């Protein structure tokens, strides 16, 4: 198993550009989520999905879109990049949404918006 | 609402010694899970250990153990025989519902430095 994979590892964008951060998992997990990690702010939830075709907003969803057409993939789209979106982005997955279920993280994408 | 508190911003330990990283939590749920993650300087989030609220025994995974005291709402991570590679940020987390979202709630983390 590759676990949770994310691409790219690093990305530099100019303000106003759009891009998609890719996330995939091969563990047949139902629950997938996106977090961003900023110094002094910890990890904050952007969007999550409890299964294919079902997504919901986290605490910082503005400026981001997600969709979940398959169990394996959960891409995060930045519609019009802003410097405030400079951050490290983590995708995570777990078997389900149970509060006792472990979430496994991908390696992260370091995004810089100029 | 769930809350995780890690009161130690930084900890130092000598190689081969044991170290305890503190974590207290707050929740009104009866069923919950507590997790510890390690984040080395390379940036990835590595799952270390899990403790369920109904587990009667403290969790152990190799050199990691969790000192779970339910009545005190604490879930301290114990690392035995510290190694230089243990130097990293350590995050305690609880899974639950906060602000209308199902998510992991993280503490602010403890930076552990292992000295040779």
């Amino acid at each position: 198993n590759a676990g949770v994979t994310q691409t790219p590892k690093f990305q530099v964008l100019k303000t106003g550009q759009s891009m998609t951060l890719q996330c995939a998992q091969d563990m047949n997990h139902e629950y997938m989520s996106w977090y961003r990690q900023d110094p002094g702010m910890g990890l904050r939830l952007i969007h999550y999905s409890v299964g294919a075709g079902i997504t919901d907003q986290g605490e910082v969803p503005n400026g981001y879109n997600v969709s979940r057409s398959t169990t394996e993939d959960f891409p995060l789209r930045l519609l019009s990049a802003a410097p405030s979106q400079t951050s490290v982005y983590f995708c995570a997955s777990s078997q389900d949404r149970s509060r006792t279920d472990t979430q496994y993280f991908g390696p992260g994408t370091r995004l810089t918006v100029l | 609402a769930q809350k995780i508190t890690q009161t130690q911003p930084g900890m130092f330990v000598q190689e081969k010694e044991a170290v305890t990283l503190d974590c207290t939590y707050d929740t009104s749920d009866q069923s919950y899970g507590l997790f510890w993650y390690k984040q080395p300087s390379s940036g990835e989030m590595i799952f270390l250990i899990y403790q369920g609220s109904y587990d009667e025994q403290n969790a152990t995974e190799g050199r990691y153990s969790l000192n779970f005291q339910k009545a005190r709402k604490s879930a301290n991570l114990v690392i035995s025989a510290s190694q230089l590679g243990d130097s990293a940020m350590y995050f305690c987390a609880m899974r639950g519902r906060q602000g209308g979202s199902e998510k992991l709630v993280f503490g602010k983390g403890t930076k552990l430095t292992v000295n040779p």
Side-chain angles (χ1 to χ4, degrees):
Chain A
N1 283 354
V4 181
T5 57
Q6 290 182 239
T7 56
K9 288 189 184 297
F10 302 93
Q11 183 70 50
V12 179
L13 293 177
K14 294 181 179 178
T15 297
Q17 287 184 315
S18 63
M19 80 158 295
T20 299
L21 307 185
Q22 300 292 345
C23 173
Q25 52 88 12
D26 60 359
M27 298 175 281
N28 202 33
H29 284 175
E30 291 296 321
Y31 183 96
M32 296 184 74
S33 56
W34 278 101
Y35 291 84
R36 59 177 289 174
Q37 184 179 30
D38 303 294
M41 305 284 288
L43 282 93
R44 294 182 290 170
L45 181 68
I46 305 171
H47 286 286
Y48 66 99
S49 169
V50 297
I54 306 169
T55 64
D56 206 348
Q57 295 182 351
E59 59 185 302
V60 288
N62 292 342
Y64 308 94
N65 270 0
V66 292
S67 60
R68 183 104 178 263
S69 56
T70 67
T71 299
E72 294 78 19
D73 300 298
F74 190 44
L76 178 73
R77 281 180 287 276
L78 279 70
L79 308 173
S80 177
S84 61
Q85 293 179 305
T86 293
S87 187
V88 180
Y89 291 84
F90 288 100
C91 178
S93 76
S94 63
Q95 185 64 48
D96 56 40
R97 65 190 301 177
S98 164
R99 293 177 184 181
T100 58
D101 201 26
T102 301
Q103 286 199 41
Y104 296 94
F105 285 77
T109 294
R110 188 174 294 273
L111 175 68
T112 302
V113 183
L114 302 174
Chain B
Q2 283 79 17
K3 183 179 179 182
I4 296 286
T5 302
Q6 294 180 255
T7 57
Q8 306 155 314
M11 288 284 286
F12 294 87
V13 66
Q14 288 298 122
E15 197 177 5
K16 299 180 185 177
E17 291 186 350
V19 62
T20 298
L21 307 183
D22 294 342
C23 172
T24 58
Y25 61 92
D26 189 21
T27 182
S28 58
D29 294 330
Q30 295 302 308
S31 176
Y32 51 87
L34 294 154
F35 307 86
W36 277 91
Y37 290 87
K38 172 185 178 181
Q39 187 174 41
S41 58
S42 52
E44 68 269 32
M45 294 287 287
I46 302 167
F47 166 69
L48 293 178
I49 194 167
Y50 158 80
Q51 179 82 44
S53 58
Y54 291 122
D55 293 342
E56 294 186 354
Q57 303 226 353
N58 287 341
T60 60
E61 287 286 350
R63 294 186 299 111
Y64 304 108
S65 61
L66 206 151
N67 184 1
F68 182 49
Q69 299 187 44
K70 193 171 180 177
R72 299 179 62 182
K73 293 190 174 179
S74 74
N76 299 337
L77 177 70
V78 180
I79 305 175
S80 63
S82 297
Q83 302 172 356
L84 296 178
D86 293 334
S87 293
M89 284 290 292
Y90 288 82
F91 292 94
C92 181
M94 167 183 284
R95 190 157 181 182
R97 192 165 185 87
Q98 188 182 63
S101 303
E102 292 279 350
K103 65 176 184 177
L104 272 176
V105 177
F106 286 87
K108 293 189 181 299
T110 296
K111 184 175 182 179
L112 177 66
T113 302
V114 180
N115 294 317

